[in-house]
Amino acid sequence: MTPFPGSGLAKGLAVTLRTMTRKTVTQQYPDTQPDLPPRTRGVIGLFEENCTVCMLCARECPDWCIYIDSHKETVPAAAPGGRERSRNVLDRFAIDFALCMYCGICIEVCPFDALFWSPEFEYAETDIHELTHERDKLREWMWTVPAPPALDPGAEEPKEITAARKTAEKLAAAQAPQAPPAPQASPAPQATQVTDAAQAKPAEPTEPARPTQPAESTKPAESTKPAKSSAPAELAASAESTASARPTHPAKQSEPPRPTEPAKPTEPAQPKEPTEPTEGQP
């Protein structure tokens, strides 16, 4: 549906007429403090414990109104044989609000949540040099920073609160008086344990070890034949020595000899028939 020509002008005039008919109310400041929203950009507070002197806020400030000085200290090793470390120690942190344009870039780029907005705005001075707030003054503004809005239902607890709670619990446990140790009861007699040998089954009889056969090197080589010139006595001696080197196996139980059948009587040889003389023989 296309809007009616001149409808926007009519809406604007209606708002003007409603405002003209209302009664004017003037807030009596400073007797009556204004009700400012929690995200009002009044002054910047410094939480010094979170500052690591990373210099990000000073480098990103478009007006160069943040001044930071620091030095390095050597931290001894936490464990014996460890390596010493160095850390930055903050000496000065100042903000010149005479130059600040309240852009909030320093608060956005701070990676450790060391800078916060405060809704306080009553810090006017007659001398411009008094508008440079050092770190002690900036720390006082932290008490005027409003609490963060409530989390959504079911959201995780902030890690800062979790770390603070764990630290508080450790301190409380360390400061709590230690209870006296309970008296130790006399040790009960130990029950007799059944040894593995009693539970083990009786060992099965092992087979007798078989005699090991001599190495093949003790046997005479088949390819080599005794020389023809050797005497029969030497051949007999070598055969006896090889036979004695071989282990004798236990004799097996011999079977009873089977009865031999009586030999059949041999038939007498029949005399050969005389052969007929061939022709030409006498």
Side-chain angles (χ1 to χ4, degrees):
M1 181 178 179
T2 59
F4 182 75
S7 60
L9 178 60
K11 290 181 180 179
L13 292 175
V15 173
T16 303
L17 292 175
R18 285 197 301 268
T19 305
M20 291 176 61
T21 56
R22 289 177 183 176
K23 184 178 179 180
T24 304
V25 178
T26 303
Q27 292 184 355
Q28 301 299 323
Y29 177 80
D31 298 333
T32 303
Q33 294 292 332
D35 188 11
L36 300 175
R39 298 181 63 182
T40 301
R41 296 185 177 185
V43 70
I44 299 174
L46 172 66
F47 191 60
E48 187 177 345
E49 285 75 4
N50 287 355
C51 182
T52 59
V53 199
C54 62
M55 305 294 291
L56 281 177
C57 55
R59 288 198 298 264
E60 297 296 333
C61 179
D63 294 334
W64 292 84
C65 62
I66 300 177
Y67 312 104
I68 300 176
D69 294 333
S70 65
H71 70 278
K72 289 188 177 181
E73 289 184 356
T74 302
V75 181
R83 185 183 63 179
E84 296 181 350
R85 299 180 180 274
S86 62
R87 64 183 181 92
N88 295 326
V89 179
L90 183 65
D91 293 334
R92 184 193 181 198
F93 195 105
I95 300 177
D96 187 359
F97 287 102
L99 298 176
C100 181
M101 65 178 182
Y102 303 94
C103 63
I105 294 178
C106 58
I107 298 175
E108 296 296 332
V109 299
C110 182
F112 301 103
D113 294 336
L115 298 174
F116 296 89
W117 276 118
S118 171
E120 294 293 329
F121 61 93
E122 297 178 331
Y123 53 92
E125 301 290 346
T126 57
D127 188 1
I128 193 174
H129 298 287
E130 299 294 334
L131 289 176
T132 302
H133 295 184
E134 298 293 336
R135 65 175 184 175
D136 297 336
K137 185 67 174 178
L138 295 175
R139 179 60 182 267
E140 294 178 2
W141 292 123
M142 278 299 301
W143 300 107
T144 62
V145 175
L151 299 176
D152 295 336
E156 295 182 359
E157 188 179 34
K159 58 182 180 180
E160 294 83 4
I161 298 178
T162 305
R165 180 181 295 106
K166 290 182 179 179
T167 305
E169 291 177 356
K170 290 181 180 178
L171 292 176
Q175 295 177 359
Q178 298 181 357
Q184 298 180 357
S186 58
Q190 297 181 357
T192 57
Q193 298 180 357
V194 181
T195 59
D196 296 341
Q199 295 179 357
K201 296 180 180 179
E204 298 178 357
T206 57
E207 297 180 357
R210 297 180 179 179
T212 58
Q213 297 181 358
E216 296 180 357
S217 60
T218 57
K219 297 180 180 180
E222 298 178 357
S223 59
T224 58
K225 297 181 179 180
K228 293 181 179 181
S229 60
S230 58
E234 296 179 357
L235 295 177
S238 62
E240 291 178 0
S241 61
T242 54
S244 60
R246 295 182 181 178
T248 58
H249 294 281
K252 297 182 180 179
Q253 186 176 3
S254 60
E255 298 179 358
R258 297 180 180 179
T260 57
E261 296 180 358
K264 296 180 179 181
T266 57
E267 296 180 358
Q270 297 180 1
K272 296 182 179 180
E273 296 180 358
T275 58
E276 296 179 359
T278 59
E279 294 182 356
Q281 292 181 358

